[in-house]
Amino acid sequence: MYDLVVKNVKIDKKGTVDIGIKEGVIKRIGKVNEPGSREIEGMNLLALPPYVESHLHLDTALTNGRPYRNQSGELFEGIQVWNQYREQYLTHEDVIKRALEVIEIMSSQGVLYMRSMVDISDPSFTALKALLEVKEKVASFIDLQLIAFPQNGLVSSTEGEQQLKRAIELGVDGISAVPHLEATREKGFKSLELCFQLALQYDQFVHIFCDEIDDSQSRFLEVVTSLAMESSLNERVSVSHVNAMAYYEEAYVRKIIGQIKASNINVVTAPLINCAMQGRFDSWPKGRGITRVKELHESGVNVAVAHDDFLSPFYPLGTGSLLAAGHMLVHLAHMTGAEDFDAVIKMLTSNAAKVLGVNQYGIAEGNEANFILIRAKNAQDLIRRQPVAEFVFSKGRIIAETPPQKTKWSAMDLVDGMPVQNK
Ligand SMILES: [Zn+2]
C-alpha cells in the first residue's frame, strides 16, 4: 500500500505514467495497480523535478523602497540604500518575516532547493543568525543553503577576514568573495586565495561574485578556474555573473572557456538583474547585459539560471519565478532555437542542482518524492507562458496547490461570424 499515488502524469517525452510514493520516497513510476492511502488525479499534467534557485538574497528581499527608493537604479546607489536599511531597520524578526514570505512565494511555484547569499559585513550578524534559524524552520520541505557574502570586500575592509571566519563558525554552507570590488587587482587576487584556503580548511562551497562589471580588464575568472583546479574543489566552485566576459576579445574568450571546462566549475547567470544593471556606462551600441551563456553551454560548461534579487534596493521587480528568469535569458542569450528551450529548463532544474551539490535530484524510483505538476506541452510552452505549478510535492507531501486561472470570455456573441468552435 502506497501513502500516495499520483495517477496519469507525463514524464519527459514518454507516455502517461503513475507515481507511487511511500515514506516520502518514489517507489514506482509506471502503471501503479496497488491503492494508495491517498490518490490524486494528475490530469495528464507534466511532472517536472523542482526548480532550484542557485543565487538569491533573502536578507535584502522585499526591502524595496525603504528607507528610500534607488533613484538612479545603479548598483552603487543600491549598496548605499542597503547599508542604510541595515542600520535603520534590520532586526532578527524583520529578516525572518521577509525570508519566510519569499520562501512561501517561491516554494508555492515549485522551488524546493535554494541557495541564498547573506551579507556578513554587519558585525552582529543579524541577517545571518536569522537566516540560520529560517533554514531550520523550513528544513522539512525546502533545502536552504547559505553563502557568506562580504559585500564590502574581504581584504580591503579590515574586518573582512575575521567576519568570514566567524560566519563559518556560525554554520554557513559556503563562502564568497567579490574580487572586482576590492580596492586593487592584488587585493582581488588575495581575496580569492583567502576564500579558497578557508573553503578547503572548513569544507565549504565556494561561490564567487565574479567580474560583475562591464570591464574587459576584469579577469578574476581565470584566477578562480586556476584555484579550483589547484585546490581540487572543482565542481564545488561556482561563479556568478561573469559579465566582463561579454567584453573580452574572442581569442581570450576561447582560452577562458577552455579553463572553465577543465576546472569543472559552474557558471550562474542572473538575466533579470544582469540586464537591468549592466551596460549602463556603455555608449551605444550597448551590450546585452549578460555573459556568454550560449557559448558556455555549447562548450559543455554547467550553466545555471538564477532569479537573484527580489524587490530589493538593487532590483525593484521580481516575482520569484525562475521561468521569468529563463524567459529573459532566451531573449538576451539568443537562445530561441529549437533545442535551446530544453537546455534553459535544465539550467533552472538539474544544472542548478549541480551547483548546490544536490544528491538524488530528479524524478526516479528511489529518490525523494520532490516534483511539481504543471500544465505545459513542452519546454518551449513552459518558457513562453510561464504557468504556475498546479501541485508541488516535497518529500512526498503536497505543499502547494494552485488551481488554473480561467477567464470567462463573453464577447463572442458580439463578433459577427465568429466560428462555432470559438463559442
Ligand atoms: Zn546577487
Side-chain angles (χ1 to χ4, degrees):
M1 178 101 161
Y2 293 104
D3 299 331
L4 177 65
V5 175
V6 185
K7 304 288 265 185
N8 304 318
V9 297
K10 286 184 292 178
I11 297 179
D12 297 329
K13 281 149 195 163
K14 296 170 211 148
T16 304
V17 295
D18 307 328
I19 302 176
I21 298 163
K22 199 169 183 177
E23 290 164 354
V25 172
I26 297 175
K27 293 290 185 189
R28 167 126 181 94
I29 298 173
K31 188 76 201 144
V32 175
N33 295 316
E34 268 184 78
S37 305
R38 186 174 177 197
E39 293 197 358
I40 304 233
E41 175 49 50
M43 302 172 287
N44 281 317
L45 294 172
L46 186 65
L48 273 187
Y51 302 121
V52 180
E53 169 59 7
S54 50
H55 179 142
L56 179 76
H57 299 258
L58 285 173
D59 52 355
T60 61
L62 310 183
T63 63
N64 185 252
R66 287 208 299 166
Y68 58 91
R69 291 172 69 189
N70 182 340
Q71 297 300 316
S72 64
E74 288 172 10
L75 176 66
F76 294 104
E77 187 178 343
I79 295 174
Q80 281 169 19
V81 178
W82 168 240
N83 284 338
Q84 284 199 32
Y85 183 96
R86 218 169 44 197
E87 281 163 27
Q88 290 178 33
Y89 300 109
L90 197 80
T91 64
H92 190 78
E93 294 69 31
D94 162 60
V95 177
I96 289 185
K97 183 170 172 290
R98 287 185 289 103
L100 289 178
E101 196 177 332
V102 172
I103 288 167
E104 180 187 339
I105 294 168
M106 294 186 74
S107 64
S108 301
Q109 299 179 43
V111 178
L112 294 183
Y113 303 91
M114 196 180 264
R115 172 175 281 189
S116 175
M117 311 297 160
V118 194
D119 179 11
I120 52 156
S121 354
D122 158 27
S124 53
F125 292 102
T126 306
L128 177 56
K129 286 176 182 166
L131 289 177
L132 284 163
E133 208 175 302
V134 167
K135 179 179 163 139
E136 291 292 310
K137 279 181 193 288
V138 300
S140 62
F141 67 94
I142 189 164
D143 284 358
L144 173 61
Q145 285 183 356
L146 299 174
I147 305 288
F149 160 57
Q151 177 84 71
N152 298 338
L154 263 188
V155 176
S156 303
S157 81
T158 46
E159 300 297 313
E161 182 175 346
Q162 227 24 56
Q163 288 288 102
L164 191 60
K165 285 184 179 161
R166 285 185 59 205
I168 293 170
E169 281 163 21
L170 286 168
V172 291
D173 303 282
I175 55 179
S176 182
V178 197
H180 60 279
L181 289 185
E182 298 284 354
T184 64
R185 192 179 292 237
E186 285 69 25
K187 286 181 177 170
F189 298 152
K190 272 192 191 153
S191 75
L192 289 174
E193 280 161 9
L194 177 62
C195 189
F196 273 84
Q197 181 211 318
L198 291 173
L200 262 183
Q201 195 176 342
Y202 296 100
D203 190 26
Q204 297 279 309
F205 284 105
V206 172
H207 196 135
I208 305 295
F209 285 57
C210 195
D211 302 318
E212 189 186 4
I213 187 163
D214 301 333
D215 171 10
S216 62
Q217 299 303 307
S218 187
R219 295 188 172 189
F220 293 105
L221 181 53
E222 62 182 18
V223 184
V224 174
T225 58
S226 168
L227 288 170
M229 285 190 272
E230 281 164 29
S231 62
S232 300
L233 283 168
N234 304 90
E235 66 282 350
R236 283 177 66 79
V237 177
S238 300
V239 286
S240 275
H241 307 307
V242 290
N243 299 99
M245 202 174 171
Y247 294 81
Y248 295 158
E249 293 292 333
E250 200 57 35
Y252 184 64
V253 169
R254 302 261 176 112
K255 176 197 165 193
I256 195 69
I257 289 182
Q259 279 187 214
I260 298 170
K261 187 82 179 61
S263 65
N264 222 7
I265 67 167
N266 310 290
V267 174
V268 177
T269 184
L272 296 171
I273 181 73
N274 283 160
C275 71
M277 282 297 178
Q278 305 307 133
R280 290 195 177 225
F281 306 114
D282 290 4
S283 57
W284 293 99
K286 288 178 185 285
R288 297 179 73 87
I290 192 144
T291 194
R292 300 179 60 149
V293 172
K294 198 170 182 177
E295 289 90 336
L296 287 163
H297 164 69
E298 284 170 356
S299 308
V301 172
N302 187 53
V303 181
V305 184
H307 186 286
D308 202 347
D309 296 290
F310 188 162
L311 274 174
S312 75
F314 307 98
Y315 186 60
L317 301 166
T319 58
S321 164
L322 275 167
L323 289 176
H327 187 260
M328 183 64 87
L329 177 73
V330 299
H331 292 83
L332 296 174
H334 291 141
M335 291 186 73
T336 46
E339 305 298 320
D340 290 334
F341 297 101
D342 282 321
V344 172
I345 291 297
K346 281 190 183 144
M347 290 180 190
L348 37 95
T349 53
S350 52
N351 291 15
K354 278 188 204 155
V355 172
L356 271 68
V358 178
N359 290 320
Q360 287 200 341
Y361 177 81
I363 306 175
E365 290 176 3
N367 280 3
E368 248 184 10
N370 300 324
F371 58 93
I372 65 174
L373 299 184
I374 198 159
R375 199 172 295 273
K377 290 191 206 103
N378 50 35
Q380 178 186 346
D381 190 34
L382 264 178
I383 290 172
R384 182 179 78 83
R385 293 187 301 108
Q386 302 160 50
V388 174
E390 293 185 26
F391 293 90
V392 180
F393 296 84
S394 172
K395 302 181 204 287
R397 279 180 309 209
I398 296 178
I399 63 150
E401 290 176 68
T402 306
Q405 196 184 8
K406 209 164 166 50
T407 302
K408 184 170 180 284
W409 191 63
S410 324
M412 67 282 258
D413 295 334
L414 305 178
V415 183
D416 197 24
M418 172 71 84
V420 172
Q421 65 265 29
N422 289 1
K423 293 202 176 187

